[in-house]
Amino acid sequence: MNGFSKAAGRTAKIVVIAAILLVVGLNAVVTTSAREYKLITQFGQVVRIQDQPGPSIKIPFIQTTLSIPKYKMISDLYPSDVTTKDKKVMTVDSFVIWEISDPVKYLSSLNASKENAEVRLGNVVYNSIKTVMSATDQQDIISGRNGELAQAITDNIGGAMDSYGIRILSVETKKLDLPDSNKEAVYQRMISERNNIAAGYKADGEYQSNLIKNETDRTVKETVAKAEAEAEQIKAAGEAQYMQILSDAYNDASKADFYNYVRSLDALKASLKGGDKTVILDGDSELARLLEGNW
């Protein structure tokens, strides 16, 4: 019986020792993922930073571990009102993309608290937004939504968060709007501006229309005048040719009498008017002579 008790006692001791060794072993192993820093602290002081993924060893019960995010984080900021260079108030709703660049500074300055970090980020980003937008006209701010505004705000921050172990990667604006109290006035001004622009386009169109109309009228007048001049030239040439034909006819004795005969018939025809068609010819007249065939 005593032998059995001794054996059982030895077994219990072995089990206890094994359990202690297991606990110690588990407490000594540090497993680090790719998305975190592992800070090894001893008596409240950071003695080592484990930033590579995989297992490592620490002194059990004396050294402790603290996980710090290693991935990029996004934090929404409270919408805030800022005044532009041309004295226009705008409401800016933005967010910031950031990461922890120095986990030790992050721990010592912010107690490794994301809430504390976001408070600091909100102050720094707001000051940068205010500085950039107060030096920029509203229209340039709106047109800079393609990335220029965000880059200017980020560049203005620079290394303001370095002392907190934080690196700001980008500040993006989700929404740029007008305060409710200003919207109606701005809308009315925009309508007025658009109406002025439309009136300018209309006036310019009418001016261009008048230029085209005047040019067309001038071209038509020049064309008509040229055509009339050419017609007069053709008419004059025809009359000259006609006169030349008459001259040739009168200069030829064989044709002159016939021509006079035709002209006399035309004159006779023109004189026959009304119902009386009787013609009495004087025997000595030129027409009577011609009708007798003496031409």
Side-chain angles (χ1 to χ4, degrees), residues 197-248:
I197 293 173
Y201 284 141
K202 182 178 179 180
D204 185 63
E206 291 177 349
Y207 173 73
Q208 296 296 331
S209 174
N210 289 332
L211 288 180
I212 295 172
K213 183 178 178 180
N214 293 336
E215 179 65 20
T216 303
D217 291 343
R218 185 183 64 81
T219 302
V220 169
K221 289 179 179 179
E222 290 179 352
T223 303
V224 171
K226 183 178 180 181
E228 290 177 347
E230 291 177 353
E232 290 297 329
Q233 291 178 357
I234 294 172
K235 182 179 179 180
E239 290 179 348
Q241 186 176 5
Y242 169 72
M243 296 304 295
Q244 183 63 43
I245 292 172
L246 289 180
S247 175
D248 293 343

Side-chain angles (χ1 to χ4, degrees), residues 34-225:
R35 290 170 52 83
E36 66 179 352
Y37 298 101
K38 273 289 199 285
L39 301 186
I40 314 301
T41 62
Q42 182 174 321
F43 306 120
Q45 299 295 321
V46 177
V47 296
R48 190 172 84 251
I49 301 175
Q50 187 67 29
D51 58 357
Q52 296 300 318
S56 59
I57 302 297
K58 68 178 179 67
I59 301 174
F61 306 111
I62 296 177
Q63 295 181 338
T64 58
T65 61
L66 177 65
S67 295
I68 302 293
K70 194 179 180 180
Y71 50 86
K72 294 178 177 63
M73 290 171 278
I74 298 177
S75 296
D76 275 321
L77 306 178
Y78 288 108
S80 55
D81 292 344
V82 294
T83 303
T84 64
K85 182 180 179 181
D86 49 349
K87 308 305 179 184
K88 308 291 180 57
V89 178
M90 301 190 71
T91 300
V92 184
D93 190 1
S94 58
F95 65 91
V96 58
I97 303 174
W98 59 286
E99 64 182 3
I100 298 170
S101 58
D102 190 329
V104 176
K105 288 183 179 179
Y106 183 70
L107 174 62
S108 62
S109 61
L110 299 170
N111 199 29
S113 168
K114 185 179 179 181
E115 290 76 14
N116 293 339
E118 287 180 336
V119 171
R120 296 289 183 180
L121 284 167
N123 293 334
V124 169
V125 173
Y126 171 72
N127 289 334
S128 181
I129 291 175
K130 182 178 179 181
T131 299
V132 171
M133 293 185 63
S134 65
T136 310
D137 290 333
Q138 184 186 63
Q139 185 59 44
D140 294 333
I141 291 172
I142 295 173
S143 62
R145 290 296 300 277
N146 58 359
E148 295 178 5
L149 179 62
Q151 188 61 49
I153 294 171
T154 303
D155 292 343
N156 185 71
I157 293 174
M161 293 297 292
D162 289 350
S163 60
Y164 300 99
I166 291 176
R167 179 186 299 115
I168 293 179
L169 303 176
S170 179
V171 177
E172 301 291 340
T173 54
K174 294 188 296 182
K175 185 178 180 181
L176 284 171
D177 204 353
L178 300 172
D180 293 337
S181 58
N182 291 359
K183 285 183 179 179
E184 184 61 29
V186 172
Y187 291 157
Q188 292 301 323
R189 185 169 65 252
M190 291 174 65
I191 292 173
S192 177
E193 290 175 353
R194 294 302 180 275
N195 288 337
N196 290 337
I197 293 173
Y201 284 141
K202 182 178 179 180
D204 185 63
E206 291 177 349
Y207 173 73
Q208 296 296 331
S209 174
N210 289 332
L211 288 180
I212 295 172
K213 183 178 178 180
N214 293 336
E215 179 65 20
T216 303
D217 291 343
R218 185 183 64 81
T219 302
V220 169
K221 289 179 179 179
E222 290 179 352
T223 303
V224 171

